[in-house]
Amino acid sequence: MSTCPIDSRAIRPIRFVAGQCHMLDQRLLPAEEVWHTYATYQEIARAISTMVVRGAPAIGVAAAIGAWFGARDIETESSWEFYQEFEKVCAVLVATRPTAVNLSWALERMKHFAQSNLDRSILELKIGLEFEALAITQEDEKANQKLGQHGEPLLADGARVLTHCNAGALATAGYGTALGVIRAAVEAGKKISVIADETRPILQGARLTAWELQKDNIPVTLICDNMAGYLMSLGEVDCVIVGADRIAANGDVANKIGTYTVAVLAKEHNIPFYVAAPVSTIDLSLDAGSQIPIEERDGREITHLKDLQLAPEGISVRNPAFDITPHCLVTAIITEHGIVNGDYLAGLKRIVKQH
Ligand code: MRU
């Protein structure tokens, strides 16, 4: 097998340069590649809530950078007052999206750094927080590369891999989680092809997964969400890999709406269903998936496609943005510290402890 180096690391949706944050507007992809520049925590909070940036690890990284911007702008000489103000900044950022735990994980880490360094000068605290935000960004990309290496042996040469939503470089600091495993397999010289669910209602699969895989020359075929079962029944899917927004202590997985449906279909067809996520996505404080808060989004995402009306005026709509896949449907969880399967309760605890 020859190796096939690809420049996948080049896709980085968040760039942190000279005190400013540049973000690729994921709402406009693939038609337009527009970058926005932000310098305040309020702007970053808005970028997260309006989904300029999205994907669990990426919103964690964005929140950490936002927290640093907020810290930088606090004007006080009192470390006690500084911390009170910093907590307010973090409260605004954490309220932007509820499901992905990476957001609160990153902000807790920033708060922990501030709290445990309150004996330093305010200037030192601000510099330290900048470094912490940078570390969160760099560690995320490294974790994805590492989980890719752990996961790629699960993909056979020639595998046809179905994925849902976008768990790629765009959803992280770089490289991706589910797509990170695929990239690692391609880099190891395997011939991998991807089937991307379009992922209604806001089409992260069609717009983002298809865009970034095409950019990396990884063969990708786009399907509507309701075609996955038929392709499985034809024997055209060898395995499924998805990302996660939060994994409870028992291994239940919150991910983009429709993931549960794919997992049930995979079980029915005896197809392995893998979840790839960094340890920052595991939330041991929750026993089971039923405790994970599920974001409900504006019904207009379903009734309209931009300005095009798709459903009758006034129709009642449900729009949960995520669902829960019970651990019994998950073949394995791939992390940067290794693979967990079987006894998720013990395995996830062990993996998180190594963090
Ligand atoms: O609403 P989104 O686009 O932020 O949802 C993203 C997902 O559900 C991803 O699959 C998940 O965050 C994993 S990204 C590595």
Side-chain angles (χ1 to χ4, degrees):
M1 250 183 258
S2 64
T3 56
C4 169
I6 50 174
D7 191 17
S8 53
R9 273 154 276 202
I11 302 174
R12 291 195 182 97
I14 305 169
R15 294 184 189 167
F16 188 18
V17 190
Q20 289 187 319
C21 178
H22 306 274
M23 281 189 201
L24 179 58
D25 192 334
Q26 299 195 31
R27 300 166 306 182
L28 305 178
L29 287 172
E32 290 176 82
E33 290 179 32
V34 175
W35 288 82
H36 300 296
T37 302
Y38 303 120
T40 68
Y41 81 90
Q42 292 95 336
E43 287 171 341
I44 299 262
R46 188 149 173 76
I48 298 171
S49 61
T50 59
M51 295 180 73
V52 168
V53 62
R54 35 64 54 198
I59 62 177
V61 165
I65 296 170
W68 174 56
F69 286 168
R72 186 179 60 181
D73 294 342
I74 296 170
E75 287 179 19
T76 177
E77 288 310 313
S78 143
S79 52
W80 183 83
E81 212 172 86
F82 175 86
Y83 191 70
Q84 301 297 305
E85 290 304 309
F86 187 59
E87 274 196 314
K88 287 185 201 159
V89 167
C90 292
V92 170
L93 288 161
V94 84
T96 50
R97 295 194 73 191
T99 303
V101 75
N102 308 64
L103 186 69
S104 53
W105 172 86
L107 291 168
E108 284 305 317
R109 183 165 153 181
M110 294 293 279
K111 282 201 283 186
H112 177 75
F113 178 88
Q115 202 168 30
S116 39
N117 288 285
L118 286 178
D119 54 335
R120 298 201 195 171
S121 73
I122 301 291
L123 181 64
E124 282 173 327
L125 262 177
K126 289 182 179 181
I127 293 171
L129 284 166
E130 179 181 8
F131 277 101
E132 198 64 10
L134 258 173
I136 288 171
T137 311
Q138 289 165 354
E139 285 168 23
D140 181 63
E141 189 167 339
K142 279 201 192 107
N144 296 333
Q145 286 163 3
K146 194 95 194 137
L147 75 80
Q149 285 160 16
H150 285 303
E152 73 84 4
L154 298 171
L155 304 189
D157 191 17
R160 298 154 301 174
V161 183
L162 186 137
T163 191
H164 190 74
C165 192
N166 172 263
L170 288 168
T172 62
Y175 203 70
T177 58
L179 298 195
V181 174
I182 289 165
R183 286 195 163 98
V186 172
E187 285 168 357
K190 294 177 192 167
K191 230 170 132 356
I192 304 291
S193 57
V194 178
I195 299 161
D197 278 354
E198 64 174 349
T199 319
R200 275 279 286 157
I202 59 169
L203 305 174
Q204 290 94 330
R207 297 185 304 101
L208 308 177
T209 296
W211 179 81
E212 66 168 87
L213 290 177
Q214 213 176 44
K215 237 180 158 46
D216 274 351
N217 293 318
I218 297 174
V220 54
T221 301
L222 179 65
I223 60 168
C224 298
D225 299 333
N226 52 7
M227 297 171 186
Y230 180 58
L231 293 199
M232 287 180 185
S233 77
L234 294 179
E236 293 185 20
V237 178
D238 297 308
C239 71
V240 176
I241 306 188
V242 296
D245 288 84
R246 195 185 295 230
I247 300 172
N250 69 346
D252 291 351
V253 174
N255 192 49
K256 180 52 53 193
I257 191 74
T259 301
Y260 170 56
T261 316
V262 176
V264 172
L265 286 168
K267 182 85 171 177
E268 173 68 19
H269 293 90
N270 280 318
I271 294 168
F273 180 91
Y274 300 118
V275 174
V279 168
S280 54
T281 306
I282 300 169
D283 184 355
L284 294 183
S285 76
L286 302 184
D287 298 330
S290 54
Q291 296 164 342
I292 298 175
I294 299 293
E295 178 180 8
E296 287 268 350
R297 295 185 59 84
D298 192 337
R300 199 180 154 88
E301 288 179 350
I302 293 177
T303 58
H304 289 73
L305 197 60
K306 296 217 162 126
D307 288 334
L308 179 68
Q309 185 175 342
L310 304 173
E313 199 67 47
I315 193 77
S316 159
V317 173
R318 280 291 308 277
N319 188 14
F322 301 94
D323 60 25
I324 305 294
T325 299
H327 60 274
C328 59
L329 299 179
V330 178
T331 311
I333 297 177
I334 305 160
T335 79
E336 69 272 35
H337 292 153
I339 296 178
V340 183
N341 58 11
D343 184 352
Y344 287 112
L345 204 57
L348 292 174
K349 245 187 219 156
R350 178 175 39 80
I351 288 269
V352 170
K353 264 201 194 132
Q354 292 172 33
H355 202 46

